[in-house]
Amino acid sequence: MQKHELYMNRCLQLARLGAGRVAPNPMVGSVLVYEDRIIGEGYHQEYGKAHAEVNCVNSVGYEDKALIEKSVIYVSLEPCAHFGKTPPCANLIIKHKIKTVVVGCRDPFKQVDGKGIERLENAGITVIKGVLENDCQNLNRRFFTFHTKKRPYIIIKWAQSKNHKIANADFSRVLISNAYSNRLVHKWRSEEAGIMVGTNTALQDDPALNTRNWTRPNPIRLVVDMNVRLPSTLQVFDGNQKTIIFNGIKNEELQNVTYYKIEKEPSFVQALLKACYKLNIQSVLIEGGSRLAESFINENAWDEARVIENTQLIIHNGLPAPLLSNHQLISSEAISTDVISYYKNLNNKL
């Protein structure tokens, strides 16, 4: 089992390289091992392109091609069994006559969900399941949450002063986090499908909500404007990236901007979650002010929180930061004058 865990860890290392490029597909890594020697490895690099198993098999050198059918293939997520944008990976494994497959965790997507494992076993292949299962599920916690809970994975982020204020009371501009933390935030943005702000944040801060300080793709901008009162001069309407305006009035398609009327639900937050699910938005980074963040906190509709605290800044007469509940501190790190704390919601587990 230790040997299996060693190679599954390598699968996870590879899978992480696809962060920000493969959604709404999961991140997956694969390793092909012959007598304790890795002869091939690969990962899912980009949505719509070859899966991890394909890249793994294709990476095998000419001199090792004959060893493929004598090897063990490791994959962090159950091989797919359906035709999507690419052929089934289970078929690929069967075609190459690989006799043993080690799987990290089962795929919750309804078109897979055990069917890949079943197809392999029906072909006489030995399938070893559940190696580093929790780690494999955690890597794709956005994907798992979306398919098992029918809602996006929610990450709440804010920056606060040493005395826990997020802005001046008069909404005048104040820079809280430093340049290094800001760059990290842009990396976070690139890793999520959407980034959400409320009406007041869009109006007062006029944010671009892009990844200009990072090299990965921009998220979809999600702006809550129930009464459709935001002016078109704001940066969120610049057409440079896909933008959805959640509102209570109309549905309308403009150039790279969609007005989406949310349905009536028991709560405003549930309506937003349902809309995101219908739009196939698997994860959302909430960067709005206290009101939007607290709406999700109060309904227990969040999974992670990331709080950046400037340990030197005091804001007098400022707006108070949100307060988390049912949370646990996972880790923290110092970046110059900032301390970043990472929390998880104890009530929302996979």
Side-chain angles (χ1 to χ4, degrees), residues 142 145-146 151-157 188-189 191-197 219-224 246 272-273 275-277 279-288 292 296 301-306:
R142 297 158 180 80
T145 296
F146 187 80
R151 66 163 176 82
Y153 190 85
I154 300 295
I155 302 171
I156 301 174
K157 167 263 168 185
W188 292 346
R189 290 176 177 181
E191 294 170 347
E192 309 311 328
I195 178 170
M196 183 180 290
V197 297
I220 301 171
R221 295 185 289 210
L222 308 172
V223 183
V224 182
F246 290 126
L272 289 174
L273 293 175
C276 288
Y277 181 75
L279 292 166
N280 201 31
I281 298 170
Q282 283 193 3
S283 63
V284 176
L285 179 65
I286 295 178
E287 281 201 30
L292 184 63
F296 281 83
W302 65 281
D303 299 284
E304 291 182 38
R306 301 170 184 175

Side-chain angles (χ1 to χ4, degrees), residues 94 118-125:
I94 295 169
E118 182 181 15
R119 183 172 298 181
L120 293 172
E121 291 178 333
N122 287 342
I125 295 171

Side-chain angles (χ1 to χ4, degrees), residues 171-190:
F171 298 105
S172 58
R173 188 167 179 78
V174 57
L175 297 177
I176 297 179
S177 52
N178 61 45
Y180 304 105
S181 297
N182 288 340
R183 186 170 176 81
L184 178 59
V185 168
H186 284 227
K187 177 178 181 291
W188 292 346
R189 290 176 177 181
S190 76

